[in-house]
Amino acid sequence: MLAQNLTAAGPDPLAWLDAEAADRRSAGLHRELSPRAADAPRGARGPIDLASNDYLGLSGHPEVIAGAVDAARRWGTGSTGSRLVTGSTEEHDALERELADFAGAGSGLIFSSGYTANLGAVTALAGRGSLIVSDAGSHASLVDACRLSRARVVVTPHADVDAVERALATRDESRALVITDSVFSADGDLAPLRALHAACRRRGAVLLVDEAHALGVRGDGGRGLVHELGLAGAPDVVVTATLSKSLGGQGGVVLADPRVREHLIDAARSFIFDTGLAPASVGAARAALTVLGREPARAVAVLDRARELAAICGGARPESAVVSLVLGDPQRAVDAARWCAGRGLRVGCFRPPSVPAGTSRLRLTARADLNAGDMAVAADVLGAVADGSWIAGTRTAGAAS
Amino acid sequence: MSITFVTGTSTGVGKTVTTAALASVLTGSGSVAVCKPAQTGLLPGEPGDIADVVRLAGAVTTVELARYPEPLAPDTAARRAGMPLLRCGEVVESVRELAAKHDHVLVEGAGGVLVRLGEGGFTLADVAAGVRDAGVGEVAAVVVVDPALGALNHAELTVRALRSAGVRCAGLVIGAWPGEPDLAMRCNLDDLPAVTGVPVIGRLPEGAGAMGRAEFAAEARRRCAPGLAAHSSRSTQPRPESRASVRPPVRDAISPASAPDPAAGTATVIAASAPPGPTP
C-alpha cells in the first residue's frame, strides 16, 4: 500500500465521517444509490416506473431524443462557457421565448438546473435588507437560496396565508419576496396561490412560485398552476421551473417580467458564474415542448392516472401527479417498496426527514403513458399493499385479494 | 334471462375458470345452469370441466352432453372412438330447456370458437345462433383470451367469427393474468378493446383455479362482476363511480380512440356499444 509509505501523520482527519455514517445507519437514514439498468429490450419484463418525475413519458420519446441529438450535432456537446460569454446559442434564445409563450410569461431565462434557477432568482431578487417569507414545505433549493440570500427569512407554516400576510405586514424592510412551491413534492398538494398573490398585492411583495411539479401536469395543456389560476404574466409573479420533469430533459428556467430577466442576467450569480445549459438539453426541451403543444391530452392523462392510482391506494383524490400510500413505519415502507420492485413496479419510498415521523410512505408518481396493462399491474400490486394482504403468506403471487 | 357462450382464442386459455367465475358472480342474481356440450380427453366417471366449475362456483345446475376419451376436437374424438356425434339441434334444445328453468345459462365450448363439435361440423357459433333464433333470452358470447403476444390477432379473429355468425360478443376475459405480465401482455390489455371493438370485462389471476370456493367467489366478484353488469345491462353510459371499489377505470387519454377498459380495475363500468348485427 502506497499510503503506508507516506510520512507518519496525526489522527485520520476523515474519521468523523465514519462516526456520522454510523449515526445515520442506526437512525435508518442511510441511503445508497441504485443505478438503473437500461430499460429491458422490447418484450422483456421491464419494471413499470411509478417513481420517476418523467410525468409525461417524454424522456424516452423518440422526437425528444432526436431533439437532443440534433442539437448536439449542431452545437457540440457543451455550451462552452458562461451564458454571458460564449454559452448562449440561438437554441437557448429560442427555447426561452418558446417557454415564455407556452407559460404566458413576459420572458424566460434558462439556467443549468431547476436548483440553480431557484438559487439565482431568489438571491438576485432578495438581498441584504429585504425580507423573504418562505413556506415550511418549500423545496431544498429554495431553502438553500434563502440561506445564501443574506435577507431576513421568515418560515411560515405550510400553506398558511394568514401567517404570510402577518409577516409581510409587520416587516421593516421595504422589499419582500414570498416563495412557495405550487405543487409540493412530498405530498403533491397545491399551494394557495390565489390567496398568496392577493396578500402579496396588498403588501407590496413579489410572489416567487416554483412550478417544478406543476409544469406539464396542471393547467391548460400543462401550462402550470400559475397559468391555470390566471396569474400568468402578472409582473409581480416570478415562476421558476425545471426542464427535467415533465419535459423529460435537464435544466431550469425563470419565467418572469422582462425587467426581472434583465436583472437576473446582471445579478444572478448561478447564471453568471455557471456554464450555460448544454445544447443537447436545450434541444430536448424544445422538442418536448413541441410534443406537449401538439398533444395537450398528455397533461390530462397524467392527472387521470394519478387519480386512478389514488383510488387503488384508497387515498384522497390527488391534485397533481404525486400519490402517497402512507404505511407509517419506515422499515415497513422500505419492505413494501422492495416487495413492489420484485413484482415489476418501481415505486419511491419516503422516510423522515423527507416526511413527518410516522408517515413513511410509498410515493408514487403517475405518468401519462401508463397503459391499461400497466395500471392493471399497479392495481394488483398496490392493491395488495393497501389492504395489507402483501404481508400474509396466503396470497397467491400477483393476485391482490 | 341471459345465455352466455364462453369460448376462447385457443384451448387452455382459461375457459373453465372463466365459466366458473361468471357462474359464481351470476349466482348472486338468480339461478345458474352450466352446459358443457362436449367434454374430451376423459373417461366416464372422471371429473371434467363441469366438476371444476362446481368446485369453484358451488350450487349450479350442470349438464354435460357428450364425453370422448381422447383429448381432441370433439368430432375427431367421436369418430376415433366410434361414438355418436353431437347434433347442433340437440345442443340448442338442451340450452333452451335450461333457459326455461334458470335465470342464467352458461355454455362452455371446447377449444376455440370454430372447433367442430359434431355432425356436419357445427360449431359453438352455430349453437349460439340457434339459441338466439329460438328467442329464449339475451344471447351473448364471452371470449377468453391468453394475454401473451399473439392475443390481438387471435382475439380479433374470434370476435369477427362470432360477429359473422350474428352473435353479439359481450366482451373479453383474460383467463390467466400472470403476477408479472411482460410488456406484450401489458400492451395487449390496452390494445385488445381497440382492435376487437369489445371491452375487456374480466381479468382472472393465474392460479385462480386452485383457490378455495370463498376466495374464488371474492376474486370473481372483483374481477368480473362490474364488467358482467355492464354486459347484461348493455348500457352504453358510464355508471356513477362507486366509492367502495379500490380499482379505478383505466383508459388511455393519449389516444382517445382506444376503448375504455373496465377490467383494469373498476368502479365505473363502460360497456362498449353492441357490435353490428349479422352480416348477410
Side-chain angles (χ1 to χ4, degrees):
Chain A
M1 291 293 287
L2 186 64
Q4 289 165 345
N5 299 335
L6 296 174
T7 317
D12 175 8
L14 293 180
W16 65 278
L17 293 180
D18 302 332
E20 294 225 343
D23 288 350
R24 282 196 303 269
R25 270 180 212 282
S26 65
L29 297 176
H30 175 68
R31 287 164 166 85
E32 280 181 0
L33 302 179
S34 45
R36 272 192 294 139
D39 273 342
R42 277 193 77 78
R45 295 185 173 186
I48 297 165
D49 167 31
L50 295 180
S52 79
N53 295 320
D54 189 15
Y55 294 135
L56 305 185
L58 290 178
S59 82
H61 192 290
E63 220 172 300
V64 178
I65 293 171
V69 170
D70 292 348
R73 285 195 202 288
R74 190 159 178 202
W75 301 101
T77 49
S79 72
T80 75
S82 161
R83 287 290 307 274
L84 296 184
V85 188
T86 56
S88 291
T89 66
E90 290 167 356
E91 197 83 17
H92 290 79
D93 189 56
L95 176 59
E96 286 173 346
R97 277 185 286 104
E98 287 160 5
L99 280 166
D101 289 349
F102 179 75
S107 71
L109 190 65
I110 300 290
F111 286 68
S112 62
S113 74
Y115 200 110
T116 52
N118 277 340
L119 290 187
V122 173
T123 55
L125 292 171
R128 200 186 298 279
S130 67
L131 169 71
I132 298 177
V133 183
S134 174
D135 185 283
S138 289
H139 186 261
S141 56
L142 292 172
V143 173
D144 291 356
C146 290
R147 291 170 179 167
L148 283 172
S149 70
R150 297 198 174 94
R152 182 170 69 93
V153 179
V154 174
V155 178
T156 48
H158 181 51
D160 186 341
V161 181
D162 291 342
V164 170
E165 178 126 27
R166 273 197 305 277
L168 292 176
T170 57
R171 75 182 193 262
D172 298 325
E173 299 88 347
S174 60
R175 283 193 287 124
L177 181 69
V178 173
I179 65 178
T180 181
D181 297 15
S182 63
V183 168
F184 290 89
S185 62
D187 283 321
D189 57 324
L190 306 185
L193 287 188
R194 266 217 190 91
L196 282 174
H197 183 247
C200 288
R201 276 272 158 103
R202 279 192 296 271
R203 305 293 173 181
V206 170
L207 178 63
L208 184 141
V209 183
D210 181 343
E211 293 250 67
H213 292 277
L215 186 72
V217 176
R218 295 297 313 203
D220 178 26
R223 284 169 173 75
L225 189 62
V226 168
H227 189 279
E228 182 179 339
L229 299 176
L231 302 175
D236 54 355
V237 174
V238 175
V239 168
T240 64
T242 177
L243 314 180
S244 65
K245 293 180 169 62
S246 284
L247 297 179
Q250 189 89 36
V253 64
V254 178
L255 299 158
D257 187 272
R259 285 182 302 168
V260 172
R261 181 178 188 269
E262 198 177 329
H263 176 70
L264 294 181
I265 291 171
D266 284 335
R269 291 169 63 85
S270 62
F271 181 81
I272 298 166
F273 297 102
D274 193 14
T275 298
L277 184 63
S281 296
V282 180
R286 289 189 70 194
L289 212 51
T290 302
V291 174
L292 181 52
R294 193 180 63 229
E295 301 171 9
R298 283 179 183 264
V300 178
V302 67
L303 276 179
D304 284 349
R305 292 299 92 79
R307 281 159 188 166
E308 288 155 13
L309 286 173
I312 290 166
C313 299
R317 180 183 158 96
E319 293 298 339
S320 69
V322 179
V323 176
S324 294
L325 205 175
V326 177
L327 294 168
D329 178 66
Q331 192 53 49
R332 195 169 173 203
V334 172
D335 291 346
R338 198 172 296 125
W339 189 82
C340 290
R343 277 151 191 78
L345 214 58
R346 193 185 284 146
V347 301
C349 174
F350 272 33
R351 292 169 277 168
S354 311
V355 294
T359 68
S360 287
R361 65 192 63 184
L362 298 187
R363 179 180 177 272
L364 316 168
T365 46
R367 283 207 337 269
D369 60 339
L370 292 167
N371 69 25
D374 298 333
M375 294 304 291
V377 174
D380 286 347
V381 177
L382 295 172
V385 173
D387 68 17
S389 58
W390 65 288
I391 297 172
T394 55
R395 298 190 64 258
T396 50
S401 51
Chain B
M1 158 53 56
S2 74
I3 300 149
T4 308
F5 288 81
V6 182
T7 186
T9 49
S10 183
T11 187
V13 296
K15 269 195 312 296
T16 301
V17 77
T18 301
T19 304
L22 299 180
S24 182
V25 170
L26 291 171
T27 47
S29 65
S31 56
V32 178
V34 178
C35 174
K36 177 90 182 177
Q39 172 75 58
T40 61
L42 290 176
L43 295 166
E46 290 183 325
D49 292 347
I50 284 286
D52 282 335
V53 171
V54 172
R55 178 176 56 80
L56 292 166
V60 294
T61 306
T62 59
V63 177
E64 186 186 281
L65 298 178
R67 173 175 288 218
Y68 307 110
E70 293 175 309
L72 302 166
D75 67 333
T76 310
R79 276 194 299 272
R80 285 175 51 96
M83 294 167 76
L85 271 70
L86 274 173
R87 286 175 298 103
C88 189
E90 70 176 297
V91 181
V92 171
E93 185 51 32
S94 170
V95 174
R96 228 174 49 77
E97 276 176 28
L98 290 171
K101 297 191 185 117
H102 297 83
D103 297 312
H104 305 287
V105 181
L106 297 167
V107 185
E108 184 189 339
V113 70
L114 297 184
V115 165
R116 295 173 177 230
L117 300 177
E119 210 162 82
F122 79 95
T123 66
L124 194 70
D126 296 320
V127 177
V131 173
R132 181 201 63 217
D133 294 341
V136 288
E138 186 68 56
V139 172
V142 164
V143 177
V144 184
V145 181
D146 170 351
L149 195 63
L152 299 177
N153 172 56
H154 289 153
E156 190 171 3
L157 285 168
T158 303
V159 171
R160 284 193 191 194
L162 287 165
R163 232 168 249 176
S164 68
V167 178
R168 188 174 77 87
C169 181
L172 315 173
V173 173
I174 308 295
W177 180 256
E180 287 185 51
D182 63 23
L183 178 70
M185 294 178 182
R186 301 197 318 251
C187 292
N188 283 347
L189 188 59
D190 200 46
D191 292 338
L192 278 165
V195 302
T196 60
V198 294
V200 176
I201 60 170
R203 181 171 57 86
L204 294 165
E206 214 168 47
M211 289 176 183
R213 192 174 291 174
E215 189 188 356
F216 184 80
E219 195 65 26
R221 260 199 313 278
R222 271 194 37 204
R223 306 287 190 172
C224 295
L228 213 57
H231 137 221
S232 57
S233 73
R234 304 196 55 178
S235 143
T236 53
Q237 291 303 311
R239 287 151 181 248
E241 196 158 336
S242 117
R243 285 264 146 252
S245 167
V246 296
R247 317 190 44 248
V250 170
R251 63 187 76 76
D252 182 354
I254 295 177
S255 50
S258 79
D261 172 16
T266 176
T268 306
V269 172
I270 296 160
S273 50
T279 42

